[in-house]
Amino acid sequence: MENFRLGILETSDVHGNVLPLNYGTNRPAELGLAKVATLIKRERDLNHAVLTIDNGDVIQGTPLTYHFAKFQREKPNPMIKILNALGYDAGVIGNHEFNYGLELLKQAIRESRYPWLSANIVNAETGEPYFGQPYLIKAFPNGPRIGVLGLTTQYIPNWEKEEHIRGMRFDDAVKTAQKWVPFLREKEQVDLVVVSYHGGFERDLDTGEPIETLTGENQGYQLCMDVPGIDVLLTGHQHRQLSGVTVNGVVILQPGCNGMGLGKVTVDMRKENGRYHVVGKVSEWLSSEGVEPDQDVIAMVQEYERAVQEWLDQPIGHIQGDMTASDPMLIRMEDHPLIEFINRVQMDAAGVEVSNTALFDNQSPGFPRDVTMRHVVSNYIYPNTLVVLRVTGQIVKEALEKSATYFDLEADGSVRVSDEFLKPKPQHYNYDMWEGIEYEIDIKRPKGSRVTVLKYKGKPLEAHQELDVVMNNYRAGGGGDYVMYKGCPVVKDIPIDVSELIANYILEHKIINATVNHNWRVTIGGQSPIALKNESDKNG
């Protein structure tokens, strides 16, 4: 009998992070592919057989990748340079791979010295895998044959601009796996089946109970339960850290995001009667914290990084007044100059009177007095564009009720973020705030009936009344379970990144006044939560 140990290394949702750096603050951070590279090289020194896979969302997400996509496309893609140098065996198409357009994705694939896999993204006409290769076979000398099947969340058409995915069909990941896993077992005669799925889990791993709305976006649990023959399931998309878990005999792994760690599966195999069989398998997560970044990787991006830093530090305008963000919960409970400003930029770009946007991240710093591009990208962190939808008053109310579920009221009267916006990952970006209408949300009322005031130009907004509303393309496509927007007529599509629109607006106006018109508020039984807290603190 011959024994064989395989180390499977996974990155996922790196989102363009290479250096251990927060671009918004320009301060060190415990993340980035340079740190992960050190972990990968360390694992290769320890294991004689290693398979390294990127599970998607790698070429988008930071000023580094944005600046490359907008201004440096004649150069090699910096993310692909790094993955090539690190000897990756395969990559999987993630949903954010499409954000900068199909041509940039195809350029990245052409430059890659490894295959990009996705069996369920197919040609809409022929049904064949759109990117050519649904799976990878890795045969180790005098060792086992490993099959790696690539899958991508089928939910992409709900978010992505149509021109970026034209000619593609996104098939059900479970049904696709039910076709290809037996093929790998029977036709390719592999000894181990690894499924690398850019998607996560919409069900509790122990009970199978739903932990989010069952849209088909995250089918990891069903893959384990409904597709016999999978040995290892690599996942992502949700930015979770999941390891040391087996579901229905399948070892699962999800390595977090932004290069904060490296996922690892160790598989022990034994050769009996001419074939290798699995005798043990376990997953673990290796943290990047405290790891020295790889100097070779840092050197690969220095040319790009110098240009990015120069671009980020260009002064573009001034804020008159206070537009900084210190308390994200407070910003989401009463109108704030930062949110009002972004909504006004959107309305200006779209030529409409109603807009919605979100405070995407609790780390958003707002704008200081002197504004640079760094401040713009630290506040508007996604490559969204804008869409104008024609919606009814009823749809506006449904959307506001959806946003109102962001809040939960504790027994002591304090306000917290509801679990559905925190689990399985923080989704602060799914709470919208509006300009151009007047509304109140009472979180003392049951969810679904919290909107107590809804007006347009001082008069009640009727259910049948139509408004043209500008919002980001993710939301307009129903992203964040805003299903009420699906099917609404598209009045206008504005194919310019919102961060670019914000920068252009500041450059044009030079001085921006921090204004707030208090067109909306959140209450507890009609009273301000902030005032109630201040009163409680005063009495306590």
Side-chain angles (χ1 to χ4, degrees), residues 267-394:
V267 182
D268 287 309
M269 306 181 74
R270 184 172 298 152
K271 190 174 185 180
E272 297 176 352
N273 301 320
R275 291 291 301 273
Y276 278 92
H277 303 276
V278 177
V279 295
K281 51 187 178 178
V282 65
S283 62
E284 58 185 310
W285 184 73
L286 310 175
S287 174
S288 296
E289 187 172 356
V291 173
E292 285 296 316
D294 184 87
Q295 294 303 310
D296 292 336
V297 169
I298 290 176
M300 285 181 214
V301 297
Q302 280 309 301
E303 179 184 359
Y304 303 86
E305 184 66 17
R306 281 192 295 269
V308 171
Q309 290 294 341
E310 182 179 341
W311 174 70
L312 285 172
D313 287 329
Q314 293 175 0
I316 59 175
H318 304 277
I319 303 297
Q320 191 76 39
D322 186 0
M323 205 181 284
T324 57
S326 59
D327 187 335
M329 182 61 103
L330 179 60
I331 289 173
R332 296 186 180 102
M333 289 196 293
E334 63 180 27
D335 201 6
H336 188 277
L338 174 64
I339 302 302
E340 185 163 307
F341 170 65
I342 295 173
N343 271 322
R344 291 196 179 280
V345 170
Q346 294 187 170
M347 291 188 290
D348 180 77
V352 299
E353 297 180 312
V354 184
S355 171
N356 65 50
T357 191
L359 183 69
F360 294 119
D361 190 286
N362 282 352
Q363 305 307 312
S364 296
F367 290 112
R369 182 179 182 279
D370 298 312
V371 182
T372 66
M373 276 302 304
R374 189 183 305 278
H375 300 123
V376 174
V377 299
S378 64
N379 283 288
Y380 207 100
I381 59 178
Y382 296 113
N384 293 331
T385 58
L386 295 179
V387 176
V388 177
L389 294 184
R390 183 157 293 156
V391 304
T392 64
Q394 178 62 34

Side-chain angles (χ1 to χ4, degrees), residues 430-456:
N430 283 331
Y431 172 78
D432 290 335
M433 292 157 281
W434 293 61
E435 191 66 30
I437 59 173
E438 303 93 55
Y439 64 95
E440 289 188 15
I441 291 170
D442 185 351
I443 56 179
K444 197 171 184 179
R445 295 170 63 91
K447 292 182 179 181
S449 60
R450 288 181 163 181
V451 178
T452 57
V453 174
L454 179 53
K455 297 179 180 180
Y456 176 60

Side-chain angles (χ1 to χ4, degrees), residues 4-10 43 46-51 192 194 231-232 234 243-244 246 251-253 263-269 278-286:
F4 187 92
R5 171 166 285 185
L6 172 67
I8 304 170
L9 307 180
E10 181 201 7
E43 289 300 314
L46 296 173
N47 297 274
H48 74 281
V50 172
L51 186 66
L192 183 79
V194 178
D231 294 296
V232 176
L234 308 178
S243 62
T246 299
V251 166
I252 65 101
L253 177 65
K264 177 185 177 183
V265 179
T266 302
V267 182
D268 287 309
M269 306 181 74
V278 177
V279 295
K281 51 187 178 178
V282 65
S283 62
E284 58 185 310
W285 184 73
L286 310 175

Side-chain angles (χ1 to χ4, degrees), residues 2 33 60 73 75 111 129 182 188 350 380 501:
E2 298 177 27
L33 203 49
Q60 173 277 335
R73 289 176 66 162
K75 299 179 183 294
E111 292 175 2
E188 289 286 5
Y380 207 100
L501 292 172

Side-chain angles (χ1 to χ4, degrees), residues 121-149:
I121 303 179
V122 301
N123 186 296
E125 294 183 359
T126 67
E128 295 297 312
Y130 188 92
F131 295 98
Q133 194 162 336
Y135 64 86
L136 166 75
I137 301 296
K138 177 84 171 183
F140 289 91
N142 301 315
R145 280 171 64 83
I146 312 299
V148 181
L149 177 68

